[in-house]
Structure formats: C-alpha cells, structure tokens
Amino acid sequence: MRWLMGFVCVGVLLAFVGQAQILRIAFDAADLKTLDPHYAAATMDRAVVDMLFNGLVRYRPGDITVFEPDLAESWEVSTDGLTWTFHLRRGVQVHPFPGAPEGYELTSEDVVFSLHKAADKDRSAYAGEYVGMRFEAVDPYTVRIILDKALSPSLFLPKVADYAGGFIVPKGPYEALGPRFATNPVGTGPFQFAEYVPTQKVRLVRNDRYFRGAPLLAGVEVWYVPDVTARLSALVTGEVHMIEGVREQAWVEAVKRMSGVVVDVFGPGETEVLHLNMSKDPVSDLRVRQAIAYALSREEVITAIGPDVAEPLCAAVPPYLAGGLACAEVAEKGLLYETNLELARNLLAAAGYPNGFEISAYITERASYRKPFENVQAQLARVGIRLNITVVDHSSFHTLIRQDVNPLVHYEAWRPSADAFLTRFYHSASIVVTGAKPDTNFSHVTAVDGLIEAARYELDPARQAELWKEAQVKLLEELASYPLYVLKFVFARSEKVDYGYELKSSLALYPQVTELTRLK
Amino acid sequence: MVRYTVRRLLVAFPTLLAVYTLVFLFVRVAPGDPAVAALGDYASAEAVQALRERMGLTAPLWIQYGRTLAGYLRDLGRSLITDVPVGQQVATALPHTLELTFAGIVIGAILGIPTGILTAVRRNRLPDYMGRTLALVGLSIPAFYLGILLILGFAVRLRWFPVMGAGPFSDVSANLRHLALPALTLGIIMTSFVTRMTRSCLLNVLREDYVRTGRAKGLRERTVVYLHALRNALIPVVSVLGIQAAVLIGDSVMTEIVFSRPGLGRLMVQAMMQRDYIALQGLIVIYGALVVLVNLLTDLSYGLIDPRVRYE
C-alpha cells in the first residue's frame, strides 16, 4: 500500500513538473497563416517555425551579428568564391510523421530538396533570393552550392541561415503531407509539432532526440490572442508566461512597473522611413523634398513614439547591419537636414510654393504606421504643407501604395542585409508599377543602381560596406526618403522564464525559445 | 406547420445563393490582395504573382465564381491562406459560438424576464427605477469594454475564472469555467434588452380590458400577472429574443476577441483582414443560414406560446 501511495505521489509530482514546464506564449494574432517556413512571414508564424526547423547555419540565439553551425557542422568556400561546401552534422533526426513514426536521419538529399524548394517560386515566397544558384548532394553528408556570381559571406550566409528560405524542410514529410504540411509542419528543431487548434493555439512538444540535447521545456504552446488587454491579463494571472507587447513607450513603462513581469525591448527592429515620391509634383522638385526634410524633426517623432522603443535612423540601412550608416557618419557628411523651418519656407518659396501646398496620402490603421505619419502631418503643417490623410485597413494600404497613389509613403520594414534594403527600396528595377520587377521603390529613385550592383558582387567586405555607404549618401543627397527611426520589438515575460541566453536581437522576431529555455 | 417549415426552408436557398453572390462580388471590389496578406510585405512581386495564380485569382470572374461555388458545395471551400477546408473550420468554431450565444440568451432570459416583471408591477417605484437604470447601463456599455471589466474583476483580481481560450467540450468543468465570463458579458447585454422589452409589453397588457375584468372578479394579483397578462406579453419578448439571438451571433465577435475564444466571429474578422475571399464567402453564408434558422424557430415558437397562431 505504501509503495502504491509512493507511486501515486511521484506520478502526481511528475505530472505537476511536466505541466509546469510547458511554456505558453501569447501573440498579437487571430490565427496562424502558414507554418511552411518558406512562406511564413508574420511574427507568430516565424516564431513557431523557428522552434521546429533549423538552417545549415544559424544566427546565434539572442545575437544576430554572429553566425554559428547549425545542421552543417562546418563549411568552406572556394578561392574564387563561387562554390560553398557544407558538411552536415551526423545523426540529426527528422521529427516523426505519418509514414515514418520514428522519423529518419536528415541527409544531403533533404537539404538539396529544401534549397530547390526555397528557390521555386511556386513553393516559396523567397525564391528571388536563390536565383543563380545550383545545389548538389556530394555524398549523404556533404552539400555543395555553386553560384553564378560570387557573393560575400555577409550576403551569402543569410540565405542558408535559420531565416525564411534558409530553413531546411525535410523531403520525406513534405512529400508525404502535401498541402497539409502548412498546418502540420515537420522539421528537425528542438520542438516538434503536436496540434493546431484553429484560432486558438499551436501545441509543440519536446524533441527528445534533438541534436543539441533534449530541451529543458516539456513543450510550448503558442496562443493567438489579438486583444492586448487579454494578453496582459493572461500574463498577470499566470495563464501564459510570455506575450507580444505593444511597441509604445507608455505600455512599456506601465508593464515595467508590474511585479513579477519583465519587459524585453530588443532588436533588430524595423526601419520606419518616409519615402518621398519623386514622380509626383510637387515632391518631384528637390527643393520641395529638402523643405520637407528641414521641416521635419526626427527627434519629435521619436519623442512621440518613445525613446525606449525607437532609435534614430538617419540613412537607408540601419547601422547594425554591415554597410549601415550611423547618424554620426551622416552628420559628418552634412546630410542630417536638422530642423530649420525658416530654410524650409525659403526652399518652398524658391520652388514656387510660398504659401505651401496640399497633398493627400493613404495610411494603414496600424498604430505603428499611423502615429508617426500623423506626427509628420502636424510637423509639415508648420511650413504650410497640408497633408490630408485617409486611413484604410492594412491590406488596402499595401495594395494602394503599390499602385503608386501616395506622394509620401510611410513604410515599416525589416530586411536581412544592406543589399536587400537598397535593392528593394532604391533600385530602379523595384520601382512600383513601372519597374522591371515592381517592388517597393516608392520614391522612383534611379541614381544608385550602379552602386547597389557593384556592392552586391564585391567580395572584399570593407570595400563592399564602402559602396553601400556611398549609395546611402547619394540617396540622402537626392532625398529619396527621410529615414525616421528603428522601432524595436517588445515582449513581456514572467520573471520565471529563463531564455538560456542573453537577448540582444532576434531575427525570429520574438525572444527565441531554444533547448536551453526553461521555467525557473 | 410542417408544410410551413418546408416552404420557409426552400425559400432560404435562393436567399443564401443571393447572399453568396453579393459577397463574392463585394469582396473582390474592395481593395486589398489575399496574396500580399498571406506573404507579408517581404515577399517579392514575383512571389505574390505566383501565389495569386495558385489561388486562382487571375482567372476571369465568372470562372472564379463557378469554381468557388463548386468548392463551397463540396466542403464550403478551402481557405486561401491556410488551405484548410472552411467546413472544417466552421465545424470547430460553430459549437463554441452557439454555446456562447445560447448561454448569453439563457442568462438574458433568466435575469431579464423577472427583472422586467418586477419593474412593470412596481412601476415608478424604487425597483422600477433601479431596474431601468441598470438596463440602460447594460444597453450603453460596449461588449468589449464590459468583457475587459469582467476580466479585470473576476479573472485578474479574484482569479475565479480564466482569461482566455475555450475549455474542451469533453471537460465540462473547464468548459463552463471558460464560458462563464464571456457568457456573462453577452448575458448582461441581453438582460438589458429583455428587461426593457418585458416591462413595456407587460405594462401594455396590464392596461387591457380582460386584465381589469380579472381583477374586478377578485382574482389575486399574482394570478392576473403571471397567468393571464405575462403569457400574452411574452410573444413580443420571444420575438425580440429571436432577433437578438441573430444579433448576438454577430455581436459575439468582440467577445470572442476579448476572451480569445475560438468562434465564427473571430474566423470572419480574420478572413476579412486577410482578404481570404473563400473563407469570407463561406462564413457569411453560414451566418445567413443561422439567421434564417433562428427566425424560423422564433416564428414556430409563437404557436407554443399563443395557441391562436396558425401556420398557413
């Protein structure tokens, strides 16, 4: 009898411990969109994907400035920079799935399959990143990637890292599950998919055979809680351990005052930039764009948003990326356009608008776009520029700005490299509607194509960074855009959550949950 | 009554087809692109175009209409974003919405009818003033605000109920604990409607000649009110309950969002935000069908309350 009671007690204790080690995270979302890593773009989807899949290399958890081995334990590049060879870790197990209840060992065949998938526009949203690449399985544990044109490590490695198309989707489960893969994902990560309850949650369980060792957590639940009050209440009551916060000063300060709750504000954040449409009068006149720049105060906008969550951005590429330009460097070049209302009025008068002018623009209802744009509206009014704003829903906004209707476009974005920032926003091929590959060049600038292309294929990192900086200086001279600030990510967590690493920045857009994350 | 029911159900089909067709056209007129919504702004224009083709959005409108209608008849279509059959999504969400709506109506009826009677029979006295004031407050307060107040009071401060989610139907206790606050949110609003309606209907009936006759022949006041007056007064109340049930199914959207409950409302808002045309068409027709059904049930219930009602 005593033995029986002992078993019961131990069972209850184990059940309790197991229950306690389920980490619950609430995201600002109504539901998932897709858990296919080659399509996942929204924060809540990137988070789940991050826990389920690996790349050949990975950004160090908590610090995106360092690459370290992931599925590949080592790699080398040929002297001509055209061939990258990756040596895979042995014994990496694919999670179980229908058809392989024990999973199987990941080999080069899976990696090559995944890279082909990532490069296929019908099976990936990131196909454009893999143009001009060939993939070969040399042997079961060696993968070779051959480039048409050599790329520097800072441009190549992000394509095979644990981000977007770089996540390795194993061949077996993808083919076995077909379209169901998007809601039944199977990878090699520290956690494996267990259940999806539509509009409610995704449940993940520990992958005991994870190659870095079994995770400390028994599982993770990702909850979809679109209302911020409900998320915060759930954190306070202990129903969840971590929540996606609000990227506003007032919220951060209020939550910081709560006992037992820690607020994490981390990078890399998203750039908030005012693009000036040079194809539309009167913004087409350089003097008008200069007047706009001199009328604006980036510090005023940052004060409104909050210095804890917003950092000044003075050029097209944020300074923490290779080739980024810091505000001090911009100031040295004399291109800060510090607020000068008198000069702004004079420039407007010289351009033929002594009484200012009136323009209209659409903005999304999302606060992170709308609030700074309304602040810009108020600042421009001081020099007689009357900006009429029409607020529309987010989806409509994206459609409208891509139809080139706005003279000023406020855009929030994160891109993984200086090349991606400059190509997508400032290369002539990316001009909305009329570009060869219409994308997000809202300003219609054409002056930096040569510099962007020269930098892309430059192998000397120092020279490459110089070319990127040169392009940004030219953009500031042309005033294709007025960079405002970098908006950081905000999460709140119970003080019981120990990430297992120091959080400075995360490309997964949430504080990553790894095999070392635990509940204290 | 059977012929009446069958006839009403048959008339519902063209109504729902019209709803489907109008929604099909309207959602495509609205700006926004499901492919952009699905892929996010990082995706290239090529990727967006490829997905748009895969979603079938580049085909002529009449072909899209034919395809989506065929898909709808099969399994209510498949979500453009997640590729999950809409029928499967509805099957998961609908029981939660119906449970919430039903609980709201039950709370509304249980609290609202007695309060309405009390305010009517104690007209212009303290219970009347109190009942009317509370009903006015209940009507004025938005569901999302009331929900937040209940969360702060009963979940955050007292820790009696959970904040988010819906308990599984297999676990009755957990299910009811999760249901309590959302149901109370809708129930309080419903109570206000029912209180005001019961009061005004009962006051009208209490002025009727037959009520005066009953009192004149010496019937007890309780018998006059409960046996003779209330039954007649309840017909418009039931009618309001029916209309409100349909409204509540729609109103549950905010409650579902505040309490993070799965449900039709949340599915619909999500489909709207993402321009998930297929899911949106399917869900709105389901809503339409529910409204038709609730109206039919309301009409049929009149006969139970008043035997004079005939279904020709």
Side-chain angles (χ1 to χ4, degrees):
Chain A
M1 189 64 186
R2 202 178 287 172
W3 278 104
L4 185 64
M5 282 185 68
F7 273 125
V8 170
C9 288
V10 169
V12 168
L13 192 65
L14 285 176
F16 179 75
V17 170
Q19 178 72 16
Q21 286 297 315
I22 304 283
L23 178 77
R24 293 187 188 83
I25 316 172
F27 280 90
D28 178 11
D31 202 357
L32 64 75
K33 286 184 182 177
T34 175
L35 298 180
D36 180 336
H38 298 166
Y39 280 105
T43 306
M44 70 287 182
D45 292 345
R46 283 189 193 275
V48 176
V49 159
D50 176 69
M51 291 181 257
L52 296 173
F53 294 90
N54 297 95
L56 285 175
V57 301
R58 73 170 184 174
Y59 295 94
R60 179 182 289 168
D63 183 1
I64 64 163
T65 59
V66 183
F67 284 110
E68 58 183 30
D70 203 12
L71 292 174
E73 54 190 3
S74 64
W75 61 89
E76 69 251 357
V77 59
S78 62
T79 46
D80 60 4
L82 290 173
T83 305
W84 288 76
T85 306
F86 291 88
H87 304 285
L88 300 185
R89 206 183 282 265
R90 290 166 193 248
V92 173
Q93 292 296 312
V94 173
H95 302 155
F97 62 95
E102 294 298 316
Y104 65 87
E105 189 187 9
L106 183 101
T107 64
S108 56
E109 188 187 354
D110 294 284
V111 175
V112 168
F113 167 83
S114 180
L115 291 168
H116 277 133
K117 175 180 174 312
D120 178 359
K121 70 178 174 60
D122 291 325
R123 293 183 295 165
S124 162
Y126 307 106
E129 300 283 330
Y130 299 88
V131 173
M133 290 189 190
R134 280 177 293 133
F135 316 107
E136 287 176 4
V138 179
D139 63 50
Y141 299 104
T142 309
V143 173
R144 193 176 284 152
I145 301 176
I146 302 143
L147 313 181
D148 288 349
K149 283 188 176 177
L151 291 174
S152 65
S154 67
L155 280 188
F156 177 76
L157 287 178
K159 297 177 195 293
V160 292
D162 55 342
Y163 179 77
F167 279 116
I168 299 302
V169 173
K171 183 181 179 188
Y174 187 82
E175 289 186 341
L177 290 160
R180 289 191 298 136
F181 189 86
T183 46
N184 295 269
V186 178
T188 51
F191 297 93
Q192 59 194 53
F193 176 82
E195 182 189 19
Y196 163 50
V197 184
T199 70
Q200 198 163 358
K201 67 177 175 182
V202 164
R203 191 166 61 82
L204 311 178
V205 294
R206 169 167 55 203
N207 172 14
D208 286 318
R209 297 192 297 170
Y210 184 51
F211 59 84
R212 286 192 178 89
L216 298 175
L217 291 170
V220 179
E221 286 183 3
V222 169
W223 283 77
Y224 303 114
V225 184
D227 185 77
V228 66
T229 313
R231 285 202 303 279
L232 190 55
S233 302
L235 180 66
V236 171
T237 59
E239 281 177 65
V240 297
H241 306 98
M242 196 158 107
I243 63 167
E244 187 176 355
V246 178
R247 299 196 282 174
E248 288 177 10
Q249 187 77 20
W251 193 88
V252 170
E253 284 176 4
V255 178
K256 270 182 178 171
R257 284 196 292 270
M258 293 178 170
S259 68
V261 175
V262 180
V263 179
D264 292 311
V265 179
F266 58 97
E270 291 174 290
T271 60
E272 306 283 338
V273 174
L274 188 67
H275 295 266
L276 310 177
N277 191 336
M278 294 153 67
S279 75
K280 288 199 185 296
D281 290 334
V283 185
S284 56
D285 189 324
L286 178 61
R287 290 166 298 185
V288 169
R289 296 200 297 280
Q290 287 171 336
I292 290 173
Y294 282 119
L296 292 175
S297 160
R298 139 179 329 111
E299 287 69 31
E300 264 186 54
V301 186
I302 290 172
T303 305
I305 303 302
D308 277 4
V309 294
E311 278 181 358
L313 176 70
C314 302
V317 180
Y320 48 78
L321 282 178
L325 209 52
C327 286
E329 293 173 280
V330 176
E332 266 176 36
K333 305 272 182 195
L335 290 167
L336 265 187
Y337 297 97
E338 282 178 282
T339 314
N340 186 335
L341 299 185
E342 195 53 42
L343 182 56
R345 287 191 195 98
N346 291 341
L347 283 162
L348 283 178
Y353 303 98
N355 299 317
F357 55 83
E358 192 167 336
I359 46 175
S360 300
Y362 289 96
I363 193 71
T364 153
E365 91 280 17
R366 283 201 186 165
S368 63
Y369 286 68
R370 184 176 47 74
K371 285 188 177 176
F373 203 54
E374 286 170 351
N375 193 292
V376 163
Q377 177 191 41
Q379 292 193 38
L380 291 179
R382 296 186 300 207
V383 295
I385 299 174
R386 295 171 298 283
L387 171 60
N388 301 319
I389 295 177
T390 304
V391 181
V392 293
D393 72 281
H394 196 62
S395 186
S396 300
F397 171 73
H398 275 292
T399 302
L400 289 164
I401 58 174
R402 282 167 176 75
Q403 290 167 355
D404 202 20
V405 297
N406 271 17
L408 305 179
V409 177
H410 181 96
Y411 205 82
E412 181 180 284
W414 156 252
R415 300 288 177 262
S417 65
D419 178 66
F421 266 112
L422 294 170
T423 304
R424 307 283 302 266
F425 290 107
Y426 303 102
H427 194 284
S428 63
S430 305
I431 292 176
V432 284
V433 183
T434 56
K437 288 181 175 178
D439 199 355
T440 47
N441 180 345
F442 302 112
S443 63
H444 292 248
V445 68
T446 57
V448 290
D449 288 6
L451 287 167
I452 295 172
E453 285 161 22
R456 186 177 303 147
Y457 300 113
E458 175 59 56
L459 294 182
D460 173 18
R463 175 67 190 141
Q464 188 177 46
E466 279 310 309
L467 289 167
W468 279 328
K469 289 184 179 188
E470 217 176 297
Q472 290 169 81
V473 168
K474 201 153 183 58
L475 288 171
L476 285 167
E477 287 167 353
E478 289 271 318
L479 270 173
S481 64
Y482 182 84
L484 289 164
Y485 57 92
V486 173
L487 185 62
K488 296 194 157 196
F489 302 114
V490 176
F491 272 72
R493 67 183 150 103
S494 155
E495 61 185 6
K496 290 179 187 166
V497 177
D498 174 9
Y499 294 140
Y501 58 85
E502 188 194 348
L503 176 63
K504 287 190 279 188
S505 53
S506 165
L507 259 197
L509 312 186
Y510 82 115
Q512 284 171 286
V513 176
T514 73
E515 71 283 0
L516 299 176
T517 305
R518 67 189 178 108
L519 292 170
K520 289 184 276 191
Chain B
M1 187 160 153
V2 175
R3 279 183 59 194
Y4 173 80
T5 308
V6 171
R7 199 171 67 235
R8 285 282 298 268
L9 287 175
L10 286 176
V11 170
F13 281 106
T15 309
L16 294 177
L17 184 65
V19 169
Y20 184 87
T21 308
L22 286 175
V23 174
F24 174 87
L25 293 172
F26 285 154
V27 292
R28 279 163 179 78
V29 170
D33 185 335
V36 174
L39 296 181
D41 74 288
Y42 184 79
S44 66
E46 283 167 318
V48 170
Q49 185 57 23
L51 184 61
R52 207 178 278 137
E53 280 166 22
R54 226 179 60 198
M55 286 173 163
L57 300 173
T58 49
L61 214 55
W62 63 272
I63 291 182
Q64 286 187 49
Y65 182 77
R67 278 183 193 157
T68 56
L69 190 60
Y72 185 80
L73 295 175
R74 196 171 50 245
D75 52 10
L76 302 187
R78 298 181 86 93
S79 161
L80 284 178
I81 308 295
T82 60
D83 202 47
V84 174
V86 178
Q88 193 181 316
Q89 289 182 305
V90 169
T92 314
L94 186 61
H96 291 289
T97 299
L98 291 182
E99 177 193 42
L100 176 61
T101 310
F102 180 72
I105 291 169
V106 168
I107 291 173
I110 288 175
L111 297 179
I113 293 175
T115 314
I117 296 168
L118 186 71
T119 53
V121 297
R122 298 272 187 275
R123 191 182 176 200
N124 291 336
R125 281 188 274 175
L126 186 64
D128 185 26
Y129 294 134
M130 283 175 63
R132 281 161 61 188
T133 308
L134 288 176
L136 196 63
V137 171
L139 280 180
S140 314
I141 199 162
F144 73 90
Y145 186 67
L146 181 59
I148 289 170
L149 288 182
L150 292 176
I151 284 177
L152 292 177
F154 292 100
V156 175
R157 195 160 285 273
L158 297 171
R159 308 279 169 107
W160 288 354
F161 301 105
V163 175
M164 54 176 218
F169 287 104
S170 54
D171 183 345
V172 178
S173 158
N175 184 274
L176 290 178
R177 284 188 68 235
H178 280 90
L179 180 65
L181 292 184
L184 200 58
T185 306
L186 289 188
I188 287 174
I189 294 168
M190 193 69 180
T191 300
S192 308
F193 275 108
V194 176
T195 298
R196 286 169 63 92
M197 199 65 198
T198 308
R199 179 182 181 275
S200 95
C201 294
L202 194 56
L203 282 176
N204 282 338
V205 172
L206 287 173
R207 288 191 205 105
E208 295 281 335
D209 289 345
Y210 74 91
V211 172
R212 195 185 316 121
T213 307
R215 282 174 176 150
K217 73 180 186 184
L219 287 178
R220 286 191 306 166
E221 184 63 15
R222 181 169 293 197
T223 310
V224 171
V225 171
Y226 291 105
L227 200 65
H228 297 286
L230 184 60
R231 195 155 179 170
N232 285 325
L234 277 184
I235 291 182
V237 175
V238 169
S239 176
V240 165
L241 275 176
I243 294 166
Q244 281 304 315
V247 174
L248 269 195
I249 293 171
D251 269 3
S252 60
V253 174
M254 286 315 297
T255 316
E256 284 168 359
I257 288 174
V258 168
F259 289 95
S260 307
R261 283 177 63 85
L264 276 192
R266 262 184 81 178
L267 277 181
M268 204 155 82
V269 170
Q270 176 77 348
M272 225 171 321
M273 298 304 286
Q274 296 185 340
R275 299 294 189 273
D276 189 343
Y277 299 153
I278 306 293
L280 196 57
Q281 286 160 212
L283 291 168
I284 290 181
V285 173
I286 292 290
Y287 260 106
L290 283 174
V291 171
V292 167
L293 197 65
V294 169
N295 283 343
L296 177 63
L297 289 175
T298 309
D299 289 348
L300 293 177
S301 68
Y302 293 155
L304 297 175
I305 298 167
D306 187 347
R308 290 170 302 175
V309 174
R310 292 281 178 271
Y311 297 98
E312 295 301 333

